[in-house]
Amino acid sequence: MNLLPLLLERIAQDGPMSVADYMATCLMHPQYGYYSTRDPLGADGDFITAPEISQMFGELVGLSLAQSWLDQGRLSPFCLAELGPGRGTLMADILRATRSVPGFAEAAEILLVEVSPALRAVQADVLKGYAPRWMDSVETLPDLPLFLVANEFFDVLPIRQFLRSGDGWRERLIGNRDGSLTFGLGAQAPQPALDHRIEDTTEGDLVEISTMSPAIIGHVARRIATRGGTALLVDYGDWRSLGDTFQALRGHEKVDPLTDPGNADLTAHVDFELLAQAARAAGAAHSRLAPQGVFLERLGITARAQKLASGLEGAALDKVIRAHRRLTHPGEMGQLFKVLGLFPASASPPPGLEP
Ligand code: SAH
């Protein structure tokens, strides 16, 4: 089963659809959406993420959040939240690593923002004993200090794509050609949200804009600015997006994003400038963007890997060495993935990041 008939019907009714509408339907359609119906993570799935590679990732992220919590005066109670928690591995590692921080667990109300029923079930199992709460969106975050993490969450949020044309833009749209989905271009029109991209683009350049991220960051950053807290946002992308980064992954391979809709993971690189602007507009400060490898090295991942490796040999030792390399090496995830921190203007950035 895939979503092709439903998408073709919608195109017949309303005309060609934006990449954002296509992404939202393929990933989150309540019945047939990619995330709604399965657990796609891990070696047997379609892709693997940092927390699934090694416990070191979640441990260091947890300790960075906990140190921020100490630095900001042990705010209590507070909300410990994760956006798009996948299998719950990252949150489980955060909670285990922060057990040694007195008062942290007792003050934390654990909140998971997750729309997928299939993944909520996995999270409930992995986190049983911690009594987390689930929410569909950040709009109803409790009115508490907020310590939040999001790993590979913003890259699955829908994007629109625009091709520079004269002083305006033509949107890349998805239509029907002989019963198959195909890319086309809409009419030229001004796009006020892209005014700041006129200066750094030329005819034919493609830029992407996330439709949901600014509002989500707005909610998170407002809470951090008014109540205190920190957000660690980890994703692949860069300060400013340029070019087509819309891609589909299936069985760890890149596939055509328009083939077999609903059965592949669809992502786009995150434009961190957009997140930073939304955070500033909501009154929060943000860190410099740091490559994941640099962030983890600053937090002591090498010492942690050595500790985990001591006493191991053979395949178990290789696994720790490979995980360390995979998370930090510039040729692997170390450079492509970036970390942005949000914090109150009166506080310092979380450990691992610079103002
Ligand atoms: N953070 C996890 C999983 C990343 S996959 C990890 O690092 O392993 C993306 C996650 O975001 C999945 O849990 C998916 O179900 C969730 N998700 C995607 N779109 C969402 C949305 N609009 N609201 C809430 N959760 C969403």
Side-chain angles (χ1 to χ4, degrees):
M1 173 65 205
N2 73 30
L3 283 159
L4 185 61
L6 186 139
L7 291 162
L8 290 175
E9 194 184 306
R10 205 181 291 170
I11 291 167
Q13 238 166 47
D14 305 334
M17 63 169 68
S18 68
V19 174
D21 286 345
Y22 178 74
M23 267 181 100
T25 307
C26 290
L27 296 179
M28 289 302 163
H29 184 278
Q31 230 178 326
Y32 305 115
Y34 178 74
Y35 282 105
S36 314
T37 51
R38 76 197 82 199
D39 167 8
L41 286 133
D44 302 332
D46 291 318
F47 60 96
I48 187 159
T49 57
E52 302 297 332
I53 290 170
S54 166
Q55 68 189 75
M56 294 186 285
F57 182 81
E59 290 170 350
L60 294 169
V61 163
L63 293 173
S64 176
L65 289 178
Q67 186 61 52
S68 276
W69 178 75
L70 293 171
D71 292 345
Q72 290 185 38
R74 300 170 191 257
L75 301 162
S76 176
F78 74 94
C79 174
L80 178 62
E82 182 172 355
L83 307 182
R87 280 185 175 166
T89 310
L90 174 54
M91 185 53 86
D93 289 337
I94 290 173
L95 291 166
R96 197 188 57 258
T98 53
R99 256 190 234 150
S100 57
V101 180
F104 186 79
E106 295 71 21
E109 183 183 314
I110 300 163
L111 204 105
L112 306 174
V113 179
E114 175 62 71
V115 285
S116 159
L119 287 170
R120 278 189 184 199
V122 180
Q123 293 153 19
D125 190 39
V126 170
L127 295 169
K128 62 174 175 282
Y130 289 112
R133 269 205 304 141
W134 282 267
M135 285 181 8
D136 286 335
S137 94
V138 291
E139 277 164 38
T140 44
L141 282 173
D143 188 16
L144 291 174
L146 176 63
F147 290 79
L148 175 142
V149 62
N151 184 62
E152 294 212 43
F153 171 75
F154 287 95
D155 68 334
V156 300
L157 297 183
I159 51 142
R160 293 172 71 182
Q161 294 188 315
F162 294 94
L163 206 73
R164 176 76 186 270
S165 166
D167 286 340
W169 303 88
R170 296 180 70 184
E171 182 158 14
R172 198 166 180 227
L173 298 171
I174 295 166
N176 171 358
R177 187 166 55 202
D178 306 328
S180 300
L181 297 172
T182 182
F183 284 115
L185 286 174
Q188 191 207 33
Q191 292 293 340
L194 291 174
D195 280 352
H196 67 298
R197 301 307 303 268
I198 291 289
E199 81 214 19
D200 75 327
T201 54
T202 57
E203 189 72 18
D205 278 347
L206 189 145
V207 301
E208 298 174 335
I209 188 151
S210 169
T211 55
M212 290 167 65
S213 303
I216 292 175
I217 290 290
H219 285 288
V220 169
R222 245 186 315 281
R223 198 56 48 109
I224 289 172
T226 55
R227 303 295 312 255
T230 289
L232 287 173
L233 313 174
V234 189
D235 238 302
Y236 68 129
D238 224 319
W239 186 247
R240 212 170 239 215
S241 93
L242 184 62
D244 177 16
T245 72
F246 181 48
Q247 68 163 27
L249 271 189
R250 185 157 189 198
H252 300 264
E253 303 279 343
K254 273 192 198 185
V255 294
D256 176 349
L258 300 188
T259 305
D260 206 6
N263 290 318
D265 188 34
L266 300 177
T267 62
H269 284 201
V270 171
D271 182 338
F272 281 96
E273 183 182 34
L274 192 72
L275 308 190
Q277 276 170 348
R280 272 201 305 268
H286 64 83
S287 71
R288 267 187 233 198
L289 195 60
Q292 174 175 297
V294 171
F295 171 73
L296 293 174
E297 289 296 355
R298 286 184 186 143
L299 294 175
I301 192 170
T302 299
R304 182 67 186 126
Q306 281 164 347
K307 183 97 193 292
L308 282 176
S310 71
L312 296 180
E313 48 188 56
L317 176 61
D318 278 353
K319 191 164 176 249
V320 175
I321 296 170
R322 266 207 317 276
H324 173 267
R325 186 185 154 85
R326 189 131 181 230
L327 292 175
T328 60
H329 193 277
E332 305 227 16
M333 295 172 83
Q335 181 64 35
L336 183 58
F337 281 74
K338 308 286 193 310
V339 188
L340 185 73
L342 310 184
F343 47 98
S346 57
S348 313
L353 297 173
E354 292 176 335

